[in-house]
Amino acid sequence: VDRKLQKGVYSKDLILTLIGMLGEDGANYKALEYTGSTIKNLSMESRFTLSNMAVEAGGKVGLIETDKVAKQYLKEHDRENQFREIRADENANYERNIEISAEELEPVVAVPHSVANVKKISEIKEVKVDQVYIGTCTNGRIEDLRIAAKILKGEHRAKGTRFIVCPASAEVYMQAAK
């Protein structure tokens, strides 16, 4: 993935777009490796989203080579001594390479009944939403909560719609409470 994500486009849009291309079993028992300038510029939280959601395409693992961002993250969490350099072999062979131009990505959503049934937000017409859930390992970090708060600022939930926020950890909960 190369270039910069447009305003309003996040790592979740990137991984959902990829899953839409691969299908929910398109990476069965395989590793997904994410590379490119876009990936290098993502926060660790955004990288976690990509890695964690590899399983949604059937993948066994989602890999991103370690770099200064990973090293800084470990340092901030008193785990700097656990840093290990991880990168693909120089002459690694891949089953398939998928190139995505980040600047062309749009906000997307997975619609029923499959995570691979991905639609651009611009294609979605009026839809009754019964429940909104912000949380899990792919949307419950402080970065995610801040993005949601910015989008929702000044808005109210629709009558009859449940709105659930579940921080990914006690640490994120404490940060959000501040």
Side-chain angles (χ1 to χ4, degrees), residues 43-107:
S43 67
M44 281 305 293
E45 288 80 6
S46 292
R47 293 174 183 197
F48 293 155
T49 297
L50 299 177
S51 294
N52 289 340
M53 287 194 65
V55 299
E56 299 294 342
K60 288 293 186 185
V61 66
L63 300 169
I64 299 170
E65 78 176 33
T66 55
D67 60 7
K68 63 183 179 187
V69 175
K71 194 173 213 171
Q72 180 62 33
Y73 178 85
L74 290 171
K75 183 177 181 178
E76 290 168 5
H77 291 83
D78 297 321
R79 295 171 42 205
E80 188 173 19
N81 64 334
Q82 294 178 7
F83 179 83
R84 302 290 178 269
E85 194 167 313
I86 300 170
R87 68 180 64 234
D89 294 342
E90 212 170 290
N91 296 318
N93 290 316
Y94 296 93
E95 178 181 291
R96 180 176 173 192
N97 288 309
I98 298 173
E99 292 188 27
I100 297 174
S101 180
E103 64 190 11
E104 295 175 13
L105 291 176
E106 295 180 40

Side-chain angles (χ1 to χ4, degrees), residues 112-155:
H113 293 287
S114 164
V115 70
N117 191 10
V118 177
K119 303 285 183 205
K120 295 176 183 177
I121 295 292
S122 61
E123 298 172 348
I124 305 292
K125 304 301 177 210
E126 282 191 42
V127 174
K128 182 180 185 301
V129 176
D130 299 311
Q131 180 170 290
V132 174
Y133 183 86
I134 299 172
T136 75
C137 60
T138 61
N139 279 115
R141 289 174 299 279
I142 194 66
E143 178 180 282
D144 304 312
L145 300 182
R146 287 179 176 145
I147 291 167
K150 186 176 179 181
I151 292 168
L152 297 169
K153 188 173 185 168
E155 299 293 331

Side-chain angles (χ1 to χ4, degrees), residues 26-39:
N28 272 357
Y29 298 104
K30 296 178 178 134
L32 295 177
E33 182 180 344
Y34 309 101
T35 64
S37 61
T38 304
I39 306 304

